[in-house]
Amino acid sequence: MSKKLLWYSGGLKFSCSGCGSCCGGGPGYVWVTQTEIDRLAAKFGISAELFEKLFVWSVNNGRRSLKEYPNGDCVLLDEKTRKCKFYEERPIQCKTWPFWKQNISKKTFWDAIAEHCPGCNCGRLYTLEEIEEQRDASNI
Ligand code: SF4
Ligand code: SF4
């Protein structure tokens, strides 16, 4: 498909306000790779094995996800500040939000997530190339 036909070919604005709502709420998965587990564990100051035991669970398809609290908060979300405790080391899924394939596949999907993410359509303009780079890097 020609890039001219993409609805977001003129770019999309996004700047995270840090509200934390995408890190909590309803149940979901935050996929983590072994490399990400190793990095998070090192930052936490514990072994990857212990980090995985404490904070990661295996989903039936063999993929691994960060655990969440009963209220839906990600296990790495600070309850008081509503910020990620390991923002710099957060998984690629979190780093590439909101430019996931599904989210940008249709403008109606983008509009739907923008209703819950105040960072969408605000602040920095991401170019088409930047959006596609994030889309391709995402594991969603
Ligand atoms: S919902 Fe959007 S603005 Fe709020 S923390 Fe998540 S990405 Fe940032
Ligand atoms: S790892 Fe951090 S950024 Fe990702 S969902 Fe959990 S708290 Fe949010």
Side-chain angles (χ1 to χ4, degrees), residues 14-23 82-83 87 94 97-98 113 116-120:
F14 171 70
S15 286
C16 178
S17 70
C19 70
S21 80
C22 62
C23 304
R82 307 304 291 168
K83 309 282 186 208
Y87 189 76
C94 310
W97 173 268
I113 66 159
H116 304 283
C117 172
C120 292

